[in-house]
CSV table of all heavy atoms in Angstrom, one decimal:
chain,number,residue,atom,x,y,z
I,24,HIS,N,6.4,-16.9,18.2
I,24,HIS,CA,6.9,-17.4,17.0
I,24,HIS,C,8.1,-16.6,16.4
I,24,HIS,O,8.7,-17.0,15.5
I,24,HIS,CB,5.8,-17.5,15.9
I,24,HIS,CG,4.6,-18.4,16.2
I,24,HIS,ND1,4.6,-19.7,16.1
I,24,HIS,CD2,3.5,-18.1,16.8
I,24,HIS,CE1,3.5,-20.2,16.5
I,24,HIS,NE2,2.7,-19.3,17.0
I,25,SER,N,8.3,-15.5,16.9
I,25,SER,CA,9.3,-14.6,16.4
I,25,SER,C,10.2,-14.0,17.4
I,25,SER,O,10.0,-14.3,18.6
I,25,SER,CB,8.6,-13.4,15.7
I,25,SER,OG,8.0,-12.5,16.6
I,71,ASP,N,15.4,-8.4,3.4
I,71,ASP,CA,14.2,-8.9,2.7
I,71,ASP,C,14.3,-10.5,2.5
I,71,ASP,O,13.3,-11.2,2.5
I,71,ASP,CB,14.0,-8.2,1.3
I,71,ASP,CG,13.4,-6.9,1.5
I,71,ASP,OD1,13.0,-6.5,2.6
I,71,ASP,OD2,13.5,-6.1,0.5
I,74,GLY,N,13.0,-12.2,5.4
I,74,GLY,CA,11.7,-11.8,5.6
I,74,GLY,C,11.6,-10.9,6.9
I,74,GLY,O,10.5,-10.9,7.6
I,119,MET,N,24.1,11.1,-2.3
I,119,MET,CA,22.7,10.6,-2.8
I,119,MET,C,21.7,10.6,-1.6
I,119,MET,O,20.6,11.1,-1.8
I,119,MET,CB,23.0,9.2,-3.3
I,119,MET,CG,21.7,8.6,-3.9
I,119,MET,SD,21.1,9.6,-5.3
I,119,MET,CE,22.2,9.0,-6.7
I,126,GLU,N,14.3,15.5,0.7
I,126,GLU,CA,12.9,15.3,0.5
I,126,GLU,C,12.1,15.0,1.7
I,126,GLU,O,11.0,15.4,1.8
I,126,GLU,CB,12.9,14.0,-0.5
I,126,GLU,CG,13.4,14.4,-1.9
I,126,GLU,CD,12.5,15.3,-2.6
I,126,GLU,OE1,11.3,15.6,-2.4
I,126,GLU,OE2,13.1,15.9,-3.7
I,133,ASP,N,4.8,19.8,4.5
I,133,ASP,CA,3.5,19.7,4.0
I,133,ASP,C,2.5,19.1,5.0
I,133,ASP,O,1.4,19.1,4.8
I,133,ASP,CB,3.4,18.8,2.7
I,133,ASP,CG,3.9,19.5,1.5
I,133,ASP,OD1,3.9,20.8,1.5
I,133,ASP,OD2,4.0,19.0,0.4
I,236,ASN,N,-6.6,25.2,5.7
I,236,ASN,CA,-8.0,25.3,6.1
I,236,ASN,C,-8.1,25.3,7.6
I,236,ASN,O,-8.8,26.1,8.3
I,236,ASN,CB,-8.8,24.1,5.7
I,236,ASN,CG,-8.9,24.0,4.2
I,236,ASN,OD1,-9.3,25.1,3.5
I,236,ASN,ND2,-8.6,23.0,3.6
I,278,ASP,N,-16.2,15.2,21.3
I,278,ASP,CA,-17.6,14.6,21.3
I,278,ASP,C,-18.6,15.6,20.7
I,278,ASP,O,-19.4,15.2,19.9
I,278,ASP,CB,-17.9,14.1,22.7
I,278,ASP,CG,-19.3,13.4,22.7
I,278,ASP,OD1,-19.5,12.3,22.1
I,278,ASP,OD2,-20.3,14.1,23.1
I,338,ASN,N,-8.0,0.6,34.2
I,338,ASN,CA,-8.5,-0.7,33.4
I,338,ASN,C,-8.1,-0.5,31.9
I,338,ASN,O,-7.7,-1.5,31.3
I,338,ASN,CB,-10.1,-0.7,33.6
I,338,ASN,CG,-10.3,-1.2,35.0
I,338,ASN,OD1,-9.5,-1.9,35.6
I,338,ASN,ND2,-11.4,-0.7,35.5
I,342,SER,N,-5.2,-3.0,29.9
I,342,SER,CA,-5.5,-3.9,28.7
I,342,SER,C,-4.5,-3.5,27.7
I,342,SER,O,-4.0,-4.3,27.0
I,342,SER,CB,-7.0,-3.6,28.4
I,342,SER,OG,-7.2,-4.1,27.1
I,349,GLU,N,1.9,-8.7,23.8
I,349,GLU,CA,1.8,-10.0,23.4
I,349,GLU,C,2.8,-10.4,22.2
I,349,GLU,O,3.2,-11.6,22.1
I,349,GLU,CB,0.3,-10.2,22.8
I,349,GLU,CG,-0.2,-11.6,23.0
I,349,GLU,CD,-1.7,-11.7,23.0
I,349,GLU,OE1,-2.3,-11.0,22.2
I,349,GLU,OE2,-2.2,-12.4,23.8
G,55,GLN,N,-2.9,-14.7,25.4
G,55,GLN,CA,-3.7,-14.2,26.4
G,55,GLN,C,-4.9,-13.4,26.1
G,55,GLN,O,-5.9,-13.2,26.8
G,55,GLN,CB,-2.8,-13.2,27.3
G,55,GLN,CG,-2.0,-13.8,28.3
G,55,GLN,CD,-1.3,-12.7,29.1
G,55,GLN,OE1,-0.4,-12.0,28.6
G,55,GLN,NE2,-1.8,-12.5,30.3
G,56,SER,N,-4.9,-12.9,24.8
G,56,SER,CA,-6.0,-12.0,24.3
G,56,SER,C,-7.0,-12.7,23.4
G,56,SER,O,-6.8,-13.8,23.0
G,56,SER,CB,-5.3,-10.9,23.5
G,56,SER,OG,-4.8,-11.4,22.3
G,87,ARG,N,-22.9,6.3,20.2
G,87,ARG,CA,-23.2,7.4,21.1
G,87,ARG,C,-24.5,7.0,21.9
G,87,ARG,O,-25.5,7.7,21.8
G,87,ARG,CB,-23.3,8.7,20.3
G,87,ARG,CG,-22.0,9.2,19.8
G,87,ARG,CD,-22.2,10.5,18.9
G,87,ARG,NE,-20.9,11.0,18.5
G,87,ARG,CZ,-20.4,12.2,18.7
G,87,ARG,NH1,-21.1,13.1,19.5
G,87,ARG,NH2,-19.3,12.5,18.3
G,105,GLY,N,-11.6,-3.1,29.8
G,105,GLY,CA,-10.3,-3.1,29.0
G,105,GLY,C,-10.5,-3.6,27.6
G,105,GLY,O,-9.7,-4.4,27.1
G,165,ASP,N,-5.9,19.6,4.0
G,165,ASP,CA,-4.6,20.2,4.4
G,165,ASP,C,-3.6,19.3,4.3
G,165,ASP,O,-2.4,19.6,4.4
G,165,ASP,CB,-4.7,20.6,5.8
G,165,ASP,CG,-5.4,22.1,5.9
G,165,ASP,OD1,-5.5,22.8,5.0
G,165,ASP,OD2,-5.6,22.5,7.1
G,265,ALA,N,5.1,22.1,-0.5
G,265,ALA,CA,6.6,21.9,-0.6
G,265,ALA,C,6.9,20.7,-1.6
G,265,ALA,O,7.9,20.8,-2.3
G,265,ALA,CB,7.2,21.7,0.8
G,298,SER,N,14.3,-3.8,-0.7
G,298,SER,CA,15.1,-4.2,-1.9
G,298,SER,C,14.3,-4.2,-3.1
G,298,SER,O,14.8,-4.6,-4.2
G,298,SER,CB,15.8,-5.5,-1.6
G,298,SER,OG,14.7,-6.6,-1.6
G,308,LYS,N,18.8,4.7,-5.8
G,308,LYS,CA,19.7,5.1,-7.0
G,308,LYS,C,19.7,6.5,-7.3
G,308,LYS,O,20.6,7.1,-7.8
G,308,LYS,CB,19.5,4.2,-8.1
G,308,LYS,CG,20.0,2.8,-7.9
G,308,LYS,CD,20.0,2.1,-9.3
G,308,LYS,CE,20.4,0.6,-9.1
G,308,LYS,NZ,19.9,-0.2,-10.2
G,335,SER,N,10.1,16.7,-4.4
G,335,SER,CA,10.2,18.2,-4.6
G,335,SER,C,9.8,18.6,-6.0
G,335,SER,O,10.0,17.8,-6.9
G,335,SER,CB,11.5,18.7,-4.2
G,335,SER,OG,12.5,18.1,-4.9
G,371,SER,N,7.3,-15.1,6.6
G,371,SER,CA,7.5,-14.5,7.9
G,371,SER,C,6.3,-13.8,8.4
G,371,SER,O,5.8,-13.9,9.5
G,371,SER,CB,8.7,-13.5,7.8
G,371,SER,OG,8.7,-12.6,8.7
G,378,GLU,N,0.8,-14.7,16.2
G,378,GLU,CA,1.0,-14.0,17.5
G,378,GLU,C,-0.1,-12.9,17.7
G,378,GLU,O,-0.1,-12.2,18.7
G,378,GLU,CB,2.4,-13.3,17.5
G,378,GLU,CG,3.4,-14.3,17.5
G,378,GLU,CD,4.9,-13.5,17.2
G,378,GLU,OE1,4.8,-12.4,16.8
G,378,GLU,OE2,5.9,-14.2,17.5
Side-chain angles (χ1 to χ4, degrees):
Chain I
H24 300 275
S25 68
D71 284 346
M119 184 60 77
E126 287 297 340
D133 277 346
N236 296 307
D278 180 75
N338 290 329
S342 169
E349 211 158 41
Chain G
Q55 275 187 283
S56 68
R87 294 175 178 240
D165 276 347
S298 67
K308 283 197 187 157
S335 54
S371 162
E378 294 171 342

